[in-house]
DNA sequence: ATTACTTAGTGTAAAATTTACACCCTATAT
DNA sequence: ATATAGGGTGTAAATTTTACACTAAGTAAT
């Protein structure tokens, strides 16, 4: 034990998959590394967990540093701890999923010094990423994909007011398959977690659709099971 | 310990919820600590992740040290990283669930030096545990509870040959509710992951039930979705 | 103002799944 | 032989899921 502690020099980090929706396309935030190893490769945004912050806080901080956004819901989905996943030493990483409203994000500002830029990469064009980040991305995306079949969790990606078609389109993009319009609307409205607004789409060159908003209060009532334990 | 910890960065540990079934009762393996902090409290078995082992390997090692069992399927379910979850320093812990066949476990042998004993505690009598281990246990148990509704994963708890009533009883214990016998059998057989054996229970003082075994090959066929990404 | 175009919005019947429910069977023990 | 304790089985009703196609409303072009 003593010996263990003395030799101890592992590092704990956070990596984030930050989803955003832009012109109907699902994208995630990537950075381009400007340090070895994997210099000039694309990678998931991540950083080291500091002594005085919880892992949830670290995830929030990383998101804030890159997007200027705070208090976004992020969900831890897996911890990657293979011995040699990082070539220069032992790094265990906790991976988080987050979803943000692209239009609410300020300019991207990569303040981390190891990144030369941050940008949105369409999920369907995902290149090979640095380290084991491709694997992390796959697992995180799969997690979201399987989760939305049980529980509507994607409203954070849409504007505050959205049409049912936009919502359906988002589902189709995530699940990568077409859904039946009538069945989709029936099911979504049956969840009873949307507010029908007295407003319609504007600026479209066709019949304007009704706008809806997500009602977190109603949502919590029906999906309490998932909330039965606190954070961390 | 305290002084030592202050000199180092975060420590990663593993904590395991090891489920076993004994006389129809669901139990988990606990240890009694013989070191401060929380001396003489009960805690989940756990240990520090060493430099040269993956977190999965560390989980396997801990299980082996306590039970003598190897190559048991363990599933990581959450990582706990609050700043002050350990009173003497920063310790981030990855929590695993495992299920073992109680009758196949050798004598329990707590080789870890911080534990004075290891023993099986019925889930229904769970006391307050050291550190945040009560919270970890709740989350892990909830994970299993929600998972078995979608996917049969509890065969590791039963003997190799078991009756459908034993299986149903196990579900009832985990879900903490009664199930309909006919519907349960119908559904379980429809999964088509069991082999009906040409054997019956022995040594019972009533009509002997047919024995079944779990067919991992058939199982993999039907639940591939969950296996689409490798470990770690 | 007519027409063409594009997306919005709606209902029903069939199929599949889930639920509720009760009695006879068989082995053992006395 | 009989009492006991769990083993084993089917069907109808209810619910959920699926498949499927047309009309409505607004915009844009002529």
């Amino acid at each position: 034990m003593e010996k263990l502690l003395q030799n101890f020099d592992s590092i704990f980090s956070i990596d984030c998959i930050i989803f955003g929706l832009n012109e109907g396309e699902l994208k995630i935030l990537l950075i381009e590394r400007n340090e070895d190893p994997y210099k000039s490769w694309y990678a998931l945004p991540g950083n080291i967990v500091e002594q005085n912050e919880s892992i949830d806080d670290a995830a929030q901080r990383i998101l804030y540093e890159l997007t200027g956004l705070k208090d976004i819901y992020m969900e831890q989905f897996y911890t990657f701890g293979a011995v040699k996943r990082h070539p220069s030493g032992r790094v265990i990483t906790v991976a988080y999923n987050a979803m943000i409203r692209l239009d609410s994000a300020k300019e991207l500002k990569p303040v981390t010094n190891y990144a030369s830029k941050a940008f949105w990469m369409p999920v369907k064009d995902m290149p090979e990423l640095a380290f084991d980040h491709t694997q992390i991305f796959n697992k995180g995306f799969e997690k979201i994909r399987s989760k939305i079949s049980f529980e509507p969790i994607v409203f954070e990606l849409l504007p505050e007011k959205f049409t049912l078609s936009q919502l359906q389109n988002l589902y189709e993009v995530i699940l990568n398959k077409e859904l039946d319009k009538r069945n989709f609307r029936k099911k979504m409205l049956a969840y009873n977690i949307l507010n029908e607004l007295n407003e319609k789409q504007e600026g479209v060159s066709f019949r304007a659709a009704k706008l809806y908003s997500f009602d977190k209060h109603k949502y919590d009532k029906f999906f309490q099971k998932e909330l039965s334990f606190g954070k961390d």
Side-chain angles (χ1 to χ4, degrees), chain A:
Chain A
M1 181 80 148
E2 223 107 311
K3 195 172 159 208
L4 254 180
L5 285 174
Q6 278 157 18
N7 292 335
F8 188 86
D9 97 299
S10 309
I11 292 179
F12 220 100
S13 72
I14 297 289
D15 286 306
C16 300
I17 304 177
I18 300 165
F19 289 93
L21 187 71
N22 184 231
E23 289 161 13
E25 242 194 342
L26 189 65
K27 300 179 178 176
I28 72 165
L29 198 51
L30 291 183
I31 56 138
E32 181 178 327
R33 292 177 56 81
N34 65 5
E35 271 185 10
D36 274 323
Y38 289 100
K39 181 162 181 170
S40 86
W41 282 61
Y42 297 153
L44 296 174
N47 216 325
I48 287 171
V49 178
E50 292 180 19
Q51 280 288 37
N52 59 343
E53 65 183 354
S54 72
I55 55 177
D56 284 351
D57 289 346
Q60 291 285 337
R61 175 173 55 81
I62 288 157
L63 179 69
Y64 177 71
E65 287 173 356
L66 277 156
T67 65
L69 293 177
K70 278 191 173 176
D71 295 322
I72 297 297
Y73 179 70
M74 304 181 79
E75 187 173 69
Q76 176 198 314
F77 66 87
Y78 204 71
T79 297
F80 295 82
V83 173
K84 59 208 170 352
R85 55 173 296 279
H86 195 299
S88 13
R90 185 71 195 276
V91 183
I92 294 173
T93 198
V94 183
Y96 280 77
N97 275 329
M99 299 187 180
I100 69 171
R101 230 159 249 144
L102 266 195
D103 53 20
S104 72
K106 330 258 181 288
E107 284 283 290
L108 293 181
K109 33 180 172 178
V111 300
T112 50
N113 51 9
Y114 62 87
S116 54
K117 65 170 178 175
F119 60 98
W120 291 100
M121 170 68 75
V123 158
K124 65 173 176 44
D125 304 329
M126 197 62 51
E128 185 78 8
L129 302 178
F131 307 107
D132 55 354
H133 287 191
T134 293
Q135 193 191 356
I136 295 176
F137 166 71
N138 286 335
K139 189 143 190 158
F141 192 29
E142 179 61 27
K143 179 79 185 230
I144 280 178
R145 195 180 274 139
S146 71
K147 193 162 179 182
I148 65 169
S149 305
F150 302 115
E151 190 177 342
I153 51 163
V154 293
F155 299 99
E156 299 304 324
L157 289 169
L158 294 170
E160 298 236 14
K161 301 171 181 182
F162 52 86
T163 70
L164 289 179
S165 292
Q166 287 169 336
L167 183 58
Q168 177 176 348
N169 179 60
L170 175 54
Y171 267 74
E172 290 178 338
V173 165
I174 295 177
L175 296 174
N176 194 31
K177 69 174 177 190
E178 293 200 345
L179 301 174
D180 179 89
K181 182 159 65 158
R182 277 176 291 192
N183 292 338
F184 178 82
R185 294 160 102 92
K186 205 189 309 173
K187 186 163 190 171
M188 203 48 69
L189 293 174
Y191 279 140
N192 198 31
I193 56 172
L194 299 182
N195 289 323
E196 185 179 331
L197 305 174
N198 280 327
E199 290 177 68
K200 297 199 164 184
Q201 256 181 325
E202 277 173 23
V204 288
S205 68
F206 45 80
R207 176 180 177 181
K210 268 184 212 158
L211 290 171
Y212 291 81
S213 68
F214 172 59
D215 188 326
K216 181 144 178 42
H217 189 255
K218 290 181 185 167
Y219 171 83
D220 285 347
K221 257 194 212 158
F222 284 90
F223 293 94
Q224 275 167 351
K225 345 147 198 175
E226 293 289 328
L227 310 169
S228 27
F229 300 104
K231 297 171 63 172
D232 223 18

